[in-house]
Amino acid sequence: MKSVSIYTLTRNQNISCVQKLERQMSGRGYFLKMREWELDSMKAFVRELETHMDEVYALWFFYSFQIPRLGKEFDLLQIREDQIVNVELKSGAVSDEALRKQLIQNRYYLAVQGKTIRSYTYISSQNRLVRLTNHDRIVDADWEQLCTDLRDGGKDYEGDVEELFQAELYLISPLTEPERFLNKEYFLTAQQRDIERQILKKIRAERTGAYWFTGTGKTLLLYDIAMKLSGKQRVCMIHCGESKKDWKRLHERLRRVEYLPDSEIGAECGLEECSAVLVDEAHLLEPGARELLAGISTRRPVIFSGDCEDVISPDELGESAEMVWKSVPGVQTFRMTNRIRTNAELSVFIQNMMRLTRGKGRRMYPHVSAG
């Protein structure tokens, strides 16, 4: 996807023509579904720029770009040799806290490029321009400063923006990268956040229930939920598998989150004393353990995370995913569909094995072994 001239886009009043022109300029593989208010906001932004600088026609932005496989979207990105200017467009009033959170999250995703990042939001209904400071505060911005930022930074990046933002740059596993997880150096995808909101809302209302989610990013989501539930009460995290060293590294630092291997699940293991129980790789649970946890879910929330469709080892094969979660009566199920892997090294390793492009630099994979 290439950058486009928003000045050229906003010369046309017909939104259908704008969509065709945008696709032609950006090389996007599909027509962008643009709404009237989005076009109106961009027109208002360009008009305001024109009152403060003459060369608006020379500005090139990546418009409505989504990081592949993550779904993270940016309204406007100007990417140059030394800096990135991010401008988000809003039509209606939004709280400063919401603006702050969005720009901080955007900066997290943009920071992998190692460039200076300038973060702005324009609210067209208020004709208000704000920026994110280096101290993570939202302040009213000066248009002259924005224009200066848009002129600086060297030459525009003229390549495909998708080549700069690869999903594996953002992959994090709480088990293999505990420091990054504990330092909260991650953000959940929109789909993960939606699933988390639904589960936490129901848990807070009912204090019981069984929940099961599958798909990519499930361990990160499970641990993020555990951290939120453990804010005031003790929760238990059950692991099914063999990477005990990785679990130990993480749980040595966690407070109010107790670790329990699946081999120790039983009537006397103290699960009833926890405010919630969370189970990773739950498709590996023995039937008796599942039955015990199903019974606990009538008195405490129990959250299962697991897959049976994507297993590699023959030892993990057995009952289908449907049979596993159906063995827990009343379970509410969710499925994540973003096809990324939770281990960055494994993701890059698989891609290189499939592509085997000559001239690639060597990269070590300490968590990947072949036998």
Side-chain angles (χ1 to χ4, degrees):
M1 175 180 159
K2 305 291 185 179
S3 58
V4 303
S5 166
I6 60 173
Y7 176 86
T8 302
L9 280 182
T10 54
R11 298 306 93 184
N12 201 312
Q13 301 301 312
N14 185 299
I15 195 166
S16 176
C17 293
V18 173
Q19 291 175 162
K20 292 178 182 178
L21 179 60
E22 191 281 333
R23 183 179 180 184
Q24 182 180 11
M25 295 175 67
S26 68
R28 198 187 299 266
Y30 57 91
F31 286 108
L32 184 65
K33 293 183 179 179
M34 191 182 301
R35 287 165 281 192
E36 291 287 351
W37 68 263
E38 293 173 325
L39 180 57
D40 290 342
S41 293
M42 185 159 58
K43 287 179 179 178
F45 176 67
V46 171
R47 282 196 301 269
E48 196 64 37
L49 281 178
E50 288 182 282
T51 66
H52 294 87
M53 66 187 300
D54 296 328
E55 62 274 26
V56 180
Y57 61 88
L59 298 176
W60 291 80
F61 294 88
F62 294 96
Y63 173 59
S64 192
F65 165 64
Q66 284 192 6
I67 298 178
R69 295 182 288 161
L70 286 185
K72 175 59 187 171
E73 184 175 9
F74 306 88
D75 287 345
L76 295 174
L77 289 179
Q78 183 200 62
I79 302 178
R80 290 191 163 172
E81 292 174 315
D82 302 321
Q83 75 173 21
I84 298 175
V85 178
N86 171 215
V87 181
E88 293 298 311
L89 302 175
K90 307 292 182 185
S91 61
V94 182
S95 70
D96 282 7
E97 180 59 18
L99 298 176
R100 189 182 78 90
K101 287 182 177 180
Q102 182 183 34
L103 292 180
I104 289 175
Q105 186 181 81
N106 288 5
R107 186 179 62 191
Y108 162 80
Y109 285 101
L110 297 173
V112 299
Q113 301 302 318
K115 303 175 188 286
T116 300
I117 301 166
R118 311 294 185 189
S119 305
Y120 293 87
T121 297
Y122 176 64
I123 305 100
S124 58
S125 62
Q126 302 172 329
N127 193 26
R128 184 188 180 204
L129 181 71
V130 301
R131 67 180 178 88
L132 181 70
T133 70
N134 292 334
H135 300 290
D136 293 347
R137 294 174 52 234
I138 288 292
V139 298
D140 287 322
D142 180 80
W143 282 94
E144 297 297 337
Q145 181 60 54
L146 171 60
C147 293
T148 299
D149 288 341
L150 292 173
R151 294 187 186 101
D152 291 344
K155 295 181 180 179
D156 284 305
Y157 173 71
E158 298 179 352
D160 185 340
V161 67
E162 293 187 1
E163 295 180 0
L164 296 179
F165 297 91
Q166 300 293 323
E168 51 269 12
L169 295 173
Y170 309 98
L171 303 184
I172 173 175
S173 167
L175 302 183
T176 59
E177 300 174 278
E179 291 297 330
R180 290 186 63 192
F181 174 76
L182 292 167
N183 291 332
K184 297 185 178 180
E185 297 178 13
Y186 67 92
F187 282 97
L188 300 181
T189 66
Q191 190 176 41
Q192 287 173 318
R193 292 196 305 271
D194 181 60
I195 292 173
E196 183 176 75
R197 278 195 297 267
Q198 293 185 59
I199 292 176
L200 291 179
K201 181 179 179 180
K202 194 164 184 180
I203 285 177
R204 287 162 182 160
E206 302 179 5
R207 303 292 179 182
T208 61
Y211 311 87
W212 189 300
F213 53 79
T214 67
T216 304
K218 59 186 181 297
T219 299
L220 178 60
L221 175 57
L222 191 71
Y223 267 96
D224 195 72
I225 293 174
M227 295 295 281
K228 288 182 171 60
L229 291 176
S230 65
K232 296 181 179 180
Q233 294 178 299
R234 189 164 58 95
V235 303
C236 181
M237 177 73 74
I238 296 174
H239 282 285
C240 307
E242 300 178 356
S243 303
K244 293 183 175 58
K245 183 184 295 184
D246 292 333
W247 301 333
K248 184 178 179 180
R249 289 168 58 202
L250 178 61
H251 282 273
E252 283 175 348
R253 299 278 301 276
L254 292 177
R255 296 182 179 180
R256 297 196 183 94
V257 179
E258 296 191 1
Y259 158 67
L260 182 72
D262 60 323
S263 59
E264 296 181 15
I265 297 176
E268 305 299 326
C269 63
L271 291 178
E272 294 280 5
E273 300 174 8
C274 297
S275 63
V277 179
L278 300 93
V279 188
D280 193 25
E281 302 295 340
H283 57 277
L284 299 179
L285 282 170
E286 294 293 332
R290 285 204 307 272
E291 292 173 6
L292 187 146
L293 292 170
I296 291 176
S297 70
T298 63
R299 301 177 293 279
R300 300 279 190 278
V302 179
I303 305 172
F304 300 91
S305 163
D307 274 316
C308 282
E309 299 174 359
D310 300 325
V311 296
I312 297 175
S313 168
D315 295 335
E316 297 182 23
L317 296 174
E319 297 174 283
S320 68
E322 183 179 13
M323 290 300 294
V324 173
W325 60 254
K326 277 190 174 180
S327 68
V328 183
V331 65
Q332 184 174 354
T333 62
F334 306 88
R335 180 171 181 79
M336 290 177 285
T337 56
N338 288 321
R339 304 311 299 163
I340 58 174
R341 308 282 304 190
T342 54
N343 186 304
E345 294 167 339
L346 183 57
S347 175
V348 176
F349 177 79
I350 292 173
Q351 289 189 34
N352 287 341
M353 285 292 290
M354 298 297 290
R355 201 159 45 201
L356 294 179
T357 305
R358 291 187 178 183
K360 291 280 186 181
R362 293 184 62 189
R363 177 171 175 177
M364 303 304 293
Y365 305 97
H367 298 293
V368 178
S369 62

